[in-house]
Amino acid sequence: MKKLFLVPSLLFLCSYIHAQMQKAPAYPLITHNTYFSIWSFNDTLNASETKHWTGKDQSLLGFIKVDGDTYRFLGKEPKVYKTILPASDEKAWECKYTETAPANGWALPQFNDNEWETGTAPFTDDRTKAKTLWASKDIWLRRTFTIDNANVDRLFLKLYHDDNVEVYLNGVKIYSNVGWTSDFELIPLKDEVKNKLKKGVNLLAIHCANTAGAAWLDAGLVDLVKQKPSNTILLAKQTSVEVTATQTNYKFRCGKADLLLTFTSPLLLNDMDVFIRPVSYMSYKVRSNDKSRHNIKIYFGASTDIAVNKPLQEVAAEMYTNGNLSILRAGTIEQPILKKKGDDLRIDWGYMCVAVPKSENATQYITRGKEVVNPFLAGASTTAAINVLDTIKGKELSLNTIIPVGAVGKTYTEGFVELGYDDLFSVQFFDIQLKPWWKADGTKTIEKELNRAALDYNKVMKKCESFNKSMYQDAVKTGGDHYAKLCALAYRQSIAAHVLVKSQYGGILFLSKENFSNGSINTVDVTYPSAPLYLLYQPRFLEGMLNGIFFYAESGKWKKDFAAHDLGTYPIANGQTYGEDMPVEESGNMIILTAAIAKAEGNADYAKKHWETLTTWVNYLVKAGFDPGNQLCTDDFAGHLAHNANLSIKAIVAIAAYAQLADQLHQKGIGVKYRNMAIAMTTNWMKMADAGNHYSLVFGDKNTWSQKYNMVWDKVLGLHLFPLHVYNKEVTYYLTKQNKFGLPLDSRKTYTKSDWIMWTAGLTNNMSNFKALTEPVYKYAAETPTRVPLSDWHETKDGKMVGFQARSVVGGYFMKMLENKWVK
């Protein structure tokens, strides 16, 4: 191995004197943006396939050969499914259907459906995607099919339904569900169900009821093919895992060799040049763990599913060299740039790249399906020996790299492989397609970025190590070890739920996606909880989170006297698509965050650019913010609420924040005017919300309570509106309401939002109380049975996710660190 690519300091995997997050709901591996985001959903890296944050497989594989023994350390070979009955994503199909309730026995094979209509799947109310329009409340389908062989290994129902569904096979109910899916799901069926299949003609019958919102129905059947267990592949024994701000580190015992594996996505908010590169590293270190030298080879594989929305999309892959790198590249043949929008989607345009330094003397090749690891097992060491083409087309291909590490002794030998993504265009912003920031000036290519990343490898690793350590130590000083671990877990997740682009007007745009929420882009009440991380490390990015909303208002495209909720549905930012406004919520958020930017940057220049708009919004709050009408706030899942005391706090704080900005802009008269308004409202609020030993959820109902997380900005911005006894009374009351996994959001339900708990904990100056409120959040993160990228909405009694995952709002965990920096 070339010394040029070695990093002696990479021993940080075991040399850190502190232990960062070692147990997580899911583990970030490759994290850059909402499309380029690969995770392990298991505590053990080689126990399951790696996945996109949405849960769809995006397989990374890793094997190490120690002399003649092969061990798998990364991922798991993808399952192989054989289609029995295709769904429409694979092949068009027709069936009989009716939207009128049929007679009893409609699901039986002998039922007469001659008077039913004939339609083609999918059945949906989406006119742009429907092959058969379904706009009524109920639909019944009867699909006959013929098979020549009824022997299956494990039968799965492939189903996409919205909403409630019941499914019958040859007259027997095999599945039912109340709810909906946002895509096809593979549902395992009981063993006795497969016995209902018969050689010859069969019937799949389905009833679906659309109870609200969208409607969709499509289905098929697949067989999970039983794979012969490999006697030649052993499992590496994972001995530890650690999540830091920018890296996830694993240790393995592979027979007579030790392996250290690090995934680095260098999202350094304090280093723009490194941050913008769409390149992650998979680094390895390997040594003998006995007194002998051993011959080592390492294999890395990446599925082309990383570059598709659905596995059945056809891709083209190629192999080439550029600069000091050998590169594998793949992307869909169709390249439907920015043609899809929504929540549960993956990118299917642009190109993934796997690159390795030429100095590694690696062998790269492209294979299909089960051929992935065969050349490695066979001992192939050259492309000629593998006998593959430089270019290949197909579905579910694999990009493979074999690195001949050579003979190793007790000293670690190390190297790396790069994984990058060129998305060509990232978003559409008011009808203009925008390139990612890194290539906005037209001078950079993915090959240049990969080569630069390889050249800078040593420096980047040191920068990441330094940032990981300093951030962790600062967090420990602020809130203790468990708080620091939560911040480490939140860091990459928050950043990777955004995309960084430059607008057609030259400004920065850092646009979020509401992951598994509703798919909105640049939602203001997602920006709001995310903000502390960026105020702490890169306020310019928070400007990028506000710029689009300001443009929307100041261009005249948004015509209301309060702030918009969002800019559209990701990745199309052409204007609000959320069905209802949140006038007090979003106006308050925009003003508070603008004031926070001024504090972070030491001047109000940013506010000055948007003063007229801010003035319009603050006057709306003066008029309608103190006692909010029946409306939604950021916690919209809890429903509409009038007289919301916490929302009232947001309006009061925003008015005072506007006054603070006016003072910074030397508009003293305006500052005094709005400051006095805020003070008067605060006094009135304390009377109207007073419920004795706490303050109420809504004005006028002393039997209610809620987290007053919006109050933390009074403290952080130094507004000094609410007396200390208000903070103390609320915190004291909260400590009596906690459950095993945290403080409920309010008195209506037992679920919570962990980002708001971290803000609420910031209300106290007592470290014991802070830890009492935040420790259950750590317990949730470490013990939740829901194995997905961290959800911010969970049940406080059992620790299960209620909804949402992989969202940016966990940037709010950094609120205490921000407070610690700003409040002296």
Side-chain angles (χ1 to χ4, degrees):
M1 311 302 292
K2 292 283 188 178
K3 292 290 185 181
L4 175 65
F5 294 102
L6 302 187
V7 185
S9 65
L10 195 60
L11 199 56
F12 69 85
L13 284 171
C14 28
S15 66
Y16 266 8
I17 60 172
H18 53 271
Q20 301 202 30
M21 194 70 182
Q22 295 167 301
K23 182 73 166 63
Y27 298 83
L29 304 179
I30 309 294
T31 48
H32 286 270
N33 56 53
T34 187
Y35 285 141
F36 192 28
S37 182
I38 306 172
W39 298 66
S40 172
F41 284 34
N42 199 294
D43 294 325
T44 305
L45 185 61
N46 58 7
S48 63
E49 300 92 336
T50 58
K51 300 176 183 293
H52 185 256
W53 70 260
T54 57
K56 296 297 191 293
D57 288 352
Q58 291 192 338
S59 177
L60 299 175
L61 279 172
F63 298 87
I64 182 171
K65 184 173 284 190
V66 182
D67 297 327
D69 296 327
T70 301
Y71 299 84
R72 189 180 79 242
F73 60 84
L74 167 59
K76 191 175 182 180
E77 292 90 336
K79 298 180 179 69
V80 177
Y81 294 95
K82 178 183 177 182
T83 298
I84 297 173
L85 182 65
S88 71
D89 63 337
E90 187 173 355
K91 183 179 180 181
W93 59 269
E94 289 185 346
C95 70
K96 292 288 190 176
Y97 78 95
T98 181
E99 295 176 73
T100 303
N104 291 337
W106 66 272
L108 297 174
Q110 64 268 29
F111 182 82
N112 187 346
D113 58 16
N114 289 339
E115 295 184 2
W116 289 25
E117 296 183 69
T118 299
T120 304
F123 297 81
T124 175
D125 62 349
D126 185 339
R127 295 178 183 273
T128 65
K129 298 177 181 178
K131 292 296 177 66
T132 302
L133 185 66
W134 169 33
S136 63
K137 288 296 183 182
D138 290 87
I139 193 167
W140 290 260
L141 309 183
R142 287 172 53 87
R143 181 183 182 188
T144 57
F145 62 99
T146 302
I147 57 175
D148 296 326
N149 186 348
N151 294 321
V152 297
D153 290 322
R154 182 74 189 278
L155 187 63
F156 280 71
L157 175 65
K158 181 178 178 179
L159 184 63
Y160 183 174
H161 68 96
D162 189 355
D163 295 294
N164 305 343
V165 70
E166 51 186 358
V167 184
Y168 300 80
L169 179 61
N170 291 328
V172 177
K173 183 185 282 190
I174 61 172
Y175 180 73
S176 64
N177 185 49
V178 175
W180 69 93
T181 65
S182 56
D183 200 347
F184 286 106
E185 290 190 358
L186 293 180
I187 301 157
L189 300 174
K190 295 179 180 179
D191 284 342
E192 56 263 31
V193 172
K194 69 180 182 181
N195 296 327
K196 304 300 178 184
L197 275 177
K198 59 184 181 179
K199 182 178 180 180
V201 179
N202 294 263
L203 173 72
L204 188 70
I206 309 175
H207 170 222
C208 190
N210 179 29
T211 58
W216 196 288
L217 184 57
D218 197 352
L221 294 169
V222 299
D223 179 18
L224 175 59
V225 180
K226 188 175 182 180
Q227 301 294 304
K228 293 181 180 180
S230 174
N231 296 322
T232 58
I233 299 178
L234 305 170
L235 278 182
K237 182 180 179 181
Q238 182 179 307
T239 58
S240 72
V241 58
E242 177 190 46
V243 178
T244 68
T246 65
Q247 295 172 313
T248 302
N249 308 312
Y250 293 91
K251 293 182 182 179
F252 294 95
R253 187 102 171 168
C254 309
K256 298 176 181 179
D258 292 334
L259 173 68
L260 308 183
L261 180 68
T262 299
F263 294 88
T264 304
S265 293
L267 302 179
L268 297 169
L269 287 170
N270 58 1
D271 190 328
M272 188 73 161
D273 288 341
V274 173
F275 180 92
I276 63 174
R277 286 182 199 149
V279 180
S280 281
Y281 305 97
M282 295 181 287
S283 309
Y284 64 87
K285 294 186 64 178
V286 62
R287 71 177 180 185
S288 169
N289 59 37
D290 60 15
K291 296 181 180 180
S292 301
R293 295 179 67 81
H294 300 285
N295 189 52
I296 303 293
K297 288 183 180 180
I298 290 180
Y299 164 94
F300 285 105
S303 169
T304 57
D305 284 352
I306 294 168
V308 304
N309 179 44
K310 295 185 177 182
L312 293 175
Q313 289 178 278
E314 192 171 14
V315 299
E318 62 179 331
M319 181 169 56
Y320 62 104
T321 61
N322 183 279
N324 293 317
L325 300 175
S326 298
I327 301 173
L328 295 167
R329 177 178 180 263
T332 60
I333 293 173
E334 182 186 4
Q335 289 294 307
I337 298 173
L338 298 172
K339 295 298 184 183
K340 299 178 181 68
K341 62 180 180 179
D343 197 352
D344 190 4
L345 294 175
R346 290 138 299 279
I347 194 167
D348 58 2
W349 69 90
Y351 299 92
M352 63 177 290
C353 294
V354 177
V356 62
K358 291 178 180 177
S359 59
E360 302 271 12
N361 296 314
T363 298
Q364 292 192 300
Y365 59 100
I366 306 161
T367 54
R368 307 178 192 272
K370 294 182 289 184
E371 305 167 8
V372 170
V373 76
N374 291 343
F376 182 65
L377 294 176
S381 58
T382 67
T383 303
I386 298 170
N387 191 28
V388 296
L389 301 175
D390 290 349
T391 302
I392 188 171
K393 295 180 181 179
K395 301 171 184 176
E396 298 184 281
L397 307 180
S398 181
L399 308 184
N400 312 289
T401 301
I402 298 175
I403 301 170
V405 179
V408 300
K410 63 181 180 179
T411 301
Y412 278 112
T413 299
E414 61 187 276
F416 66 91
V417 173
E418 296 176 331
L419 187 60
Y421 206 100
D422 180 1
D423 59 357
L424 306 179
F425 292 92
S426 300
V427 299
Q428 185 177 111
F429 184 73
F430 292 99
D431 302 316
I432 303 296
Q433 292 186 351
L434 300 181
K435 295 179 180 180
W437 185 279
W438 64 269
K439 66 185 306 183
D441 65 4
T443 64
K444 296 177 180 176
T445 65
I446 190 64
E447 289 81 9
K448 288 181 179 179
E449 294 301 286
L450 290 165
N451 273 284
R452 173 55 63 180
L455 185 64
D456 290 349
Y457 175 71
N458 288 349
K459 292 188 294 184
V460 170
M461 291 297 109
K462 290 177 181 178
K463 287 179 178 180
C464 287
E465 178 186 359
S466 176
F467 181 83
N468 297 341
K469 185 175 180 180
S470 65
M471 193 210 80
Y472 188 83
Q473 290 177 341
D474 288 347
V476 168
K477 292 176 184 176
T478 298
D481 180 65
H482 284 178
Y483 172 70
K485 289 177 177 178
L486 286 171
C487 290
L489 182 61
Y491 183 85
R492 271 176 286 166
Q493 173 171 316
S494 180
I495 295 170
H498 297 83
V499 66
L500 183 67
V501 295
K502 184 179 291 186
S503 80
Q504 57 266 49
Y505 309 103
I508 185 173
L509 295 172
F510 193 52
L511 304 175
S512 65
K513 179 178 180 178
E514 280 204 58
N515 290 343
F516 273 13
S517 178
N518 67 0
S520 289
I521 187 170
N522 204 198
T523 301
V524 179
D525 60 279
V526 168
T527 294
Y528 179 65
S530 306
L533 170 60
Y534 306 97
L535 287 165
L536 196 60
Y537 292 111
Q538 186 53 269
R540 188 184 176 197
F541 280 19
L542 183 54
E543 290 184 17
M545 297 156 82
L546 304 189
N547 282 341
I549 300 295
F550 277 124
F551 172 81
Y552 193 18
E554 292 162 1
S555 66
K557 299 176 187 295
W558 176 256
K559 302 182 184 301
K560 300 179 182 180
D561 60 350
F562 48 79
H565 171 270
D566 62 79
L567 291 183
T569 301
Y570 201 95
I572 308 301
N574 289 336
Q576 180 173 313
T577 53
Y578 190 71
E580 187 172 345
D581 298 324
M582 297 184 189
V584 174
E585 173 72 38
E586 312 303 18
S587 299
N589 292 342
M590 290 295 292
I591 296 168
I592 291 169
L593 294 182
T594 302
I597 288 171
K599 189 171 183 70
E601 295 179 345
N603 62 72
D605 292 349
Y606 184 72
K608 186 176 181 179
K609 297 176 185 177
H610 307 292
W611 193 245
E612 183 177 347
T613 304
L614 293 168
T615 301
T616 298
W617 292 342
V618 79
N619 287 334
Y620 178 85
L621 294 179
V622 169
K623 176 179 64 177
F626 174 72
D627 189 5
N630 191 36
Q631 62 189 272
L632 295 174
C633 69
T634 183
D635 305 316
D636 55 354
F637 50 83
H640 294 75
L641 191 65
H643 316 300
N644 184 334
N646 186 48
L647 188 58
S648 176
I649 292 173
K650 179 168 291 183
I652 295 168
V653 170
I655 292 167
Y658 177 85
Q660 187 179 73
L661 288 169
D663 288 343
Q664 289 176 275
L665 293 172
H666 308 294
Q667 298 184 28
K668 299 299 182 183
I670 292 176
V672 170
K673 174 184 174 182
Y674 285 90
R675 172 77 183 174
N676 287 340
M677 289 181 188
I679 291 172
M681 289 180 181
T682 303
T683 302
N684 200 18
W685 185 94
M686 289 188 291
K687 295 176 182 177
M688 293 178 63
D690 190 12
N693 63 348
H694 69 282
Y695 294 94
S696 57
L697 165 67
V698 294
F699 295 139
D701 189 347
K702 295 184 178 183
N703 295 317
T704 63
W705 65 273
S706 65
Q707 293 187 43
K708 306 302 188 301
Y709 54 81
N710 286 320
M711 195 180 291
V712 74
W713 288 107
D714 175 44
K715 185 179 182 182
V716 172
L717 292 176
L719 301 175
H720 306 296
L721 295 169
F722 292 89
L724 182 60
H725 71 81
V726 174
Y727 289 86
N728 290 341
K729 181 159 70 171
E730 279 292 275
V731 171
T732 300
Y733 187 77
Y734 296 151
L735 293 173
T736 70
K737 293 295 180 181
Q738 294 214 97
N739 290 323
K740 181 178 180 180
F741 293 102
L743 177 67
L745 181 66
D746 57 49
S747 53
R748 291 173 290 179
K749 300 281 187 178
T750 56
Y751 57 55
T752 196
K753 291 281 274 82
S754 58
D755 48 339
W756 295 147
I757 290 179
M758 305 303 281
W759 287 29
T760 295
L763 299 181
T764 182
N765 293 323
N766 182 298
M767 184 51 61
S768 177
N769 288 343
F770 175 82
K771 288 186 176 181
L773 289 167
T774 58
E775 280 295 316
V777 177
Y778 175 81
K779 186 176 182 66
Y780 155 68
E783 298 180 14
T784 177
T786 309
R787 306 312 303 271
V788 299
L790 187 62
S791 169
D792 53 285
W793 181 19
H794 73 270
E795 175 55 56
T796 61
K797 289 190 172 182
D798 60 17
K800 293 180 180 179
M801 177 182 79
V802 178
F804 311 153
Q805 68 191 53
R807 299 208 309 165
S808 68
V809 301
V810 294
Y813 288 11
F814 289 80
M815 178 59 88
K816 190 66 175 179
M817 290 181 70
L818 183 66
E819 175 192 328
N820 199 49
K821 179 179 180 180
W822 284 3
V823 180
K824 303 300 182 183

